[in-house]
Amino acid sequence: MTSYPMEYYDFFVKFNEGDYYTCHDLLEDIWMTDKDNLFLKGLLQMTVAIYHYEYGNVKGARLMMDAGHQYIQKYRPFYWGIDLEKVNQFIEHCQSIIPQDIDRIDFSDISALPSLPAFVLYLEE
């Protein structure tokens, strides 16, 4: 089995717990030492998008989800133990759900936004 940085393993735990803010920090720690690894940046942008969406920054969520989608493309179908076809489908599903005509919504009105799909990430090696 391939060995990855400990932050990467922690990322899976935090992602599946829904702690997207911590996911960002964990991936950024790895990416800062390997800035050529745009796969990490893609996952980072995807988690930031979910975090923004949960707090009403719809435009930010759209932009980050689009960026995450772009960054993972050259690593498909499988990279660093992740089936990126599943990640790609998740991102594209989110892109179809995130409203195009809203930039921001007050946190008290978050329940008015359509929910993003549930998604579980895991290593498949």
Side-chain angles (χ1 to χ4, degrees), residues 38-89:
L38 297 180
F39 157 78
L40 291 172
K41 191 171 182 181
L43 290 183
L44 196 153
Q45 300 292 359
M46 178 186 74
T47 59
V48 168
I50 299 167
Y51 179 79
H52 280 309
Y53 192 74
E54 289 182 342
Y55 286 91
N57 181 359
V58 180
K59 181 178 181 180
R62 252 190 333 269
L63 294 171
M64 292 294 102
M65 199 63 80
D66 291 348
H69 186 254
Q70 280 187 303
Y71 286 126
I72 68 162
Q73 295 310 304
K74 76 175 193 175
Y75 298 94
R76 290 172 59 192
F78 193 85
Y79 192 75
W80 269 38
I82 295 181
D83 182 343
L84 289 174
E85 296 308 307
K86 292 177 183 174
V87 174
N88 191 65
Q89 289 172 359

